[in-house]
Amino acid sequence: MSVAPLQTTTVPYGELVPVTVHFDDLDALGMLHNSRYPLLAERAWAEYWHDQGFGFDGDWAAAGDMCNVIKEMHVSYERSVTRPGHYAAHLWVERLGRTGLTYGFRLCSADGAETYARGHRVLVRVDAQTLRPTPWSDRARTIAGRLLRPEASEADAA
């Protein structure tokens, strides 16, 4: 399934990727369950990379850049989502290292104007055989580089 990034003028960097909150994502209080925020961000990232031609079909040896592990995840909840519907995940790259990558994300309104949660996660690309860190491919670095937050790219250059 291909999901085109949303077109908006409210995000100066990164991409807005559509996400859907379903009724069964809500908890007993009628709010999006806390575990769903990072799940929605994770699904949006998977769609983004899939749309860029990266995927995983069950063969770790052939997975290439998709063979990675999460080293860290942080989520800050700012406002409750209280109804099912269409929202967005604002996605960007905070830091692009040789073997590591820090993604930033916001779960937000479909137009990107309202923020419900924000966070980051650190990924490490690993070799499928040794499970040791290994460099990102040039292709993955190029695509991730397009999503670098402007302040982050200036800081990394210093």
Side-chain angles (χ1 to χ4, degrees), residues 34-87:
N34 66 291
S35 67
R36 298 297 190 178
Y37 292 82
L39 178 66
L40 290 170
E42 178 79 17
R43 288 178 178 165
W45 275 113
E47 290 292 336
Y48 178 80
W49 282 107
H50 183 267
D51 288 350
Q52 303 304 312
F54 291 84
F56 175 70
D57 65 3
D59 180 0
W60 284 114
D65 293 291
M66 297 305 285
C67 187
N68 56 68
V69 295
I70 296 176
K71 179 179 180 179
E72 175 183 308
M73 178 90 168
H74 174 82
V75 181
S76 175
Y77 302 95
E78 298 187 12
R79 188 171 166 211
S80 296
V81 171
T82 58
R83 63 182 59 183
H86 300 287
Y87 295 88

